[in-house]
Each structure stands twice: as C-alpha cells, then as structure tokens.
Amino acid sequence: MGTMNALVLHGANDLRYETRSQPECREHEVVIRVKACGICGSDLPRALEGKVHFFPIVLGHEFSGEVAAIGQNVSSVQVGDRVTGAPLLPCMHCDNCRSGRPALCNHYSFIGSRKNGAMAEYVAVPEQNVLKLPDEVDDLEGAMIEPLTVALHGIERVNIPAGSECMVFGAGTIGLLTLQCLKARGAAHVIMVDIVQSKLDLAKKLGADEIVNPLHTSLEEYFSHRDLPEVIIETAGTPATQKQSVEFARKQGKVVFVGTAKKDVVLPPATFEKILRGELEVTGSWMSYSTPFPGYEWKTAIQYVKQGRVQLKPLLAKTYRLQEGLTAFQEMVENQLAGSKYIFTI
C-alpha cells in the first residue's frame, strides 16, 4: 500500500494537507484515482464547524476519476476506465433497502461523512457504486453528476406532466439543476425565484422562462395578475421560501421540499389551511437513489449531460488545488457568485 496526499479534517477550521496511506482495495471494491471533487453545501458545517462523525476524516462525496485498481471479484470496470461514484453505502438488508428504497436505509454509511471521502488522490468505492463516464462528460462534469442526481430525484417525487407550469425557489446548484431537469422532462414554463440577481441572470441563460427577485418584486405582486404554478420545488431551505412554497401553489398543486431546513419552519394557520383547502400534495425528497442501485437518477444524469440536455459548466464558480484547503470553503461562504460549484482538481 502506497501513500497519497489528502485534505484531512482534524477539527473545526482545522483542515490539513498531509500524506496518508492509500485506501486498501478489497475484493468487491474499486480504488479511484480522483481527478475532481466538488464541495457540497453540506461540507461547509463539516469543515468549518467540525460537524462530522469522527476525526480525522477526509471529506468529499462529489467526485470523478480514473480506476486505479480493482478487487479480485470486480468485473464491471477495468483499470483506466473514467468513472464517477455514488457516495451512499446502504446496508442492503433493512426493510427499506429490500423494498428498493436505498435512500431511506436505516443503517447507511456515506463516503465523505461516515467514511473517508474523495478530497484526496485516491478513494475506495464499492463496485456497485461505480459508474462509467462517456467521453462526452469530462472530469469536472463528472464531479457534478451527484448534485444533478439530487435534482432529478426531487422532480421525480411527484408526477409532472408535460406542459406543466413550475416554480423553483433557490437558484443555487440544486435549483439551477432542477430548472434544467424540469425543462428536459417537458415542463412548459419554469419560474426561478432568488434574491441574488446574478444567479437569476444565470438561470435565465439556462432556460428559465421568468425570473423573480423578491427584493425587487414581491411574489404577491408578481402573482396578482398571473396564475399560480402547478408544481413548486423548494431548494433554498429557508423558512421564508418553505412557507411561500405552500402559499403560492395552485389548488391541487404539488410541493416538493428539497432544501434542508436550518431554522424552525413556522406555518401560520392561514398558510396551513391552504394545504387543506387546496388539497395540496406535499412531499420531501432525500438524496438521489432508487433500485437497481444506485438508481435511474445516476444513469439519467450521465445521459442528460452526454446529450447536452443539462449544462453543468456554467455552474462552475472556481477550481482549487487540494493544497489550498480551507481557503476554498471560506470563499464559498463569502462569495455569492452566479456559478455555485467550487471544485478541487487533483
């Protein structure tokens, strides 16, 4: 077993570029030479606040690379194949796993949060988690497949007929990908809502039919002379947008909550009554997996990028080397760039 360079988290704001042993290649595993690894919003509290399961740990669950070694029982990939990897490690034994719902596994592990991740030169991944990348999908795009699968899983939580009128709260990574997935699925009209104008301008370039900045035009004013949307996808994860998702849905409309709540979400009686009186379909979306594992989301995401139906490069804000470490996380917090993906190239 050789050595490798990695970003290793030892505590809150204590991210060190150091040498450690390469991961072992077990019989059903693939060792990937990492080429690119994205920083997810969920990585920020891990790195900056130390919210992880153990120290030291290597973060990173959005990645692409090249197969460096395969276990003796691996047959689906070969050394040299370009790949991405699904980070969920379901138990495959609980009721949810056996029922084809691995995202809801009762005993899952996860690469980059419960197991060492891909902010390193090498990462070990079970064979079933590895997906080949076509030549049309480069390494940077390969590292953005995982967030694209999250967007796909979200819109598939409800039935969205072709020609639907939709609204997406939040023009960050998942919101912009949701926009493109809705368009690829045949949505007729998509409204994007955000308070950062540069992100809305990018949304417009990526296919949004209309953009709304509530700092300039309230949603009450905007919808005073327009029909309410049939489908609302909430990706911002703020109490205001979570409340508005219910308030501005059409009667018998559908609301999907994708964004993670960071504060209490309070629905006044009048807002809650809209769920009842409007007979709204309200659901949540968790991760991005189905059966056969890792799921249709992953194959579809790769095909969408290959076919040019989803553009990932416009979301890229900046790339870093691993040696820059904590700087990348800090700049991600400080900046509100139109591009929202920050990626380590390795």
Side-chain angles (χ1 to χ4, degrees):
M1 186 185 302
T3 60
M4 67 176 183
N5 294 314
L7 274 181
V8 184
L9 185 67
H10 289 267
N13 282 298
D14 187 3
L15 194 60
R16 307 176 197 173
Y17 181 70
E18 59 189 35
T19 301
R20 56 163 41 202
S21 296
Q22 291 181 20
E24 179 183 352
C25 189
R26 296 182 173 88
E27 59 181 359
H28 292 286
E29 287 189 333
V30 175
V31 172
I32 298 170
R33 168 71 171 92
V34 181
K35 296 296 185 70
C37 182
I39 303 174
C40 177
S42 65
D43 289 322
L44 296 179
R46 293 176 182 134
L48 303 179
E49 302 171 34
K51 293 184 176 180
V52 295
H53 294 275
F54 59 88
F55 295 110
I57 186 172
V58 178
L59 304 178
H61 62 269
E62 304 174 359
F63 59 93
S64 65
E66 181 180 284
V67 175
I70 60 174
Q72 62 182 17
N73 291 329
V74 171
S75 60
S76 62
V77 294
Q78 298 178 343
V79 172
D81 285 346
R82 296 181 55 253
V83 296
T84 187
L88 180 69
L89 304 174
C91 74
M92 293 300 182
H93 300 297
C94 70
D95 289 344
N96 284 315
C97 285
R98 291 201 305 267
S99 300
R101 301 188 297 268
L104 304 181
C105 174
N106 296 326
H107 311 290
Y108 72 91
S109 187
F110 200 84
I111 294 169
S113 69
R114 297 168 186 247
K115 178 183 177 182
N116 285 320
M119 291 181 187
E121 292 181 310
Y122 296 91
V123 64
V125 180
E127 179 185 14
Q128 68 173 358
N129 292 59
V130 179
L131 299 101
K132 292 182 183 179
L133 292 176
D135 292 339
E136 296 87 347
V137 180
D138 67 23
D139 294 332
L140 290 172
E141 292 170 323
M144 289 190 267
I145 293 296
E146 194 273 346
L148 176 53
T149 67
V150 172
L152 276 167
H153 188 80
I155 69 169
E156 293 290 343
R157 289 290 298 129
V158 292
N159 180 33
I160 303 177
S164 295
E165 296 185 12
C166 307
M167 183 161 68
V168 179
F169 281 103
T173 298
I174 302 302
L176 293 172
L177 294 174
T178 298
L179 157 68
Q180 296 184 75
C181 290
L182 286 168
K183 283 294 188 176
R185 286 276 276 104
H189 194 88
V190 181
I191 305 163
M192 293 295 294
V193 182
D194 202 291
I195 59 173
V196 179
Q197 190 61 41
S198 61
K199 293 182 179 181
L200 288 175
D201 294 339
L202 177 56
K204 190 71 174 176
K205 292 178 182 178
L206 291 174
D209 296 284
E210 294 187 66
I211 55 177
V212 181
N213 187 332
L215 297 181
H216 304 149
T217 303
S218 70
L219 289 175
E220 288 82 2
E221 178 183 352
Y222 179 80
F223 284 113
S224 63
H225 56 286
R226 293 177 174 87
D227 291 334
L228 295 173
E230 302 165 69
V231 180
I232 294 180
I233 313 290
E234 201 289 325
T235 74
T238 69
T241 54
Q242 287 159 337
K243 174 172 173 284
Q244 290 172 327
S245 295
V246 174
E247 292 177 333
F248 291 98
R250 184 180 302 184
K251 288 185 176 181
Q252 291 198 323
K254 303 166 185 179
V255 179
V256 182
F257 289 108
V258 179
T260 302
K262 300 176 181 65
K263 297 180 180 179
D264 290 347
V265 181
V266 178
L267 298 182
T271 300
F272 184 80
E273 191 80 356
K274 289 181 179 292
I275 299 174
L276 308 183
R277 290 180 177 271
E279 294 189 346
L280 301 184
E281 181 180 344
V282 180
T283 188
S285 178
W286 184 243
M287 294 198 282
S288 55
Y289 304 92
S290 54
T291 192
F293 186 83
Y296 70 85
E297 298 92 339
W298 289 81
K299 293 179 181 178
T300 302
I302 291 171
Q303 285 301 308
Y304 274 4
V305 179
K306 176 182 177 180
Q307 296 165 0
R309 301 177 74 183
V310 170
Q311 299 179 61
L312 297 179
K313 288 291 182 66
L315 276 65
L316 181 60
K318 192 173 181 179
T319 61
Y320 298 84
R321 304 302 294 178
L322 277 182
Q323 296 92 319
E324 296 178 82
L326 202 59
T327 299
F329 291 83
Q330 293 168 335
E331 290 189 357
M332 185 173 171
V333 173
E334 294 167 0
N335 297 335
Q336 287 189 320
L337 304 179
S340 52
K341 281 312 302 177
Y342 292 70
I343 294 180
F344 287 110
T345 56
I346 303 162

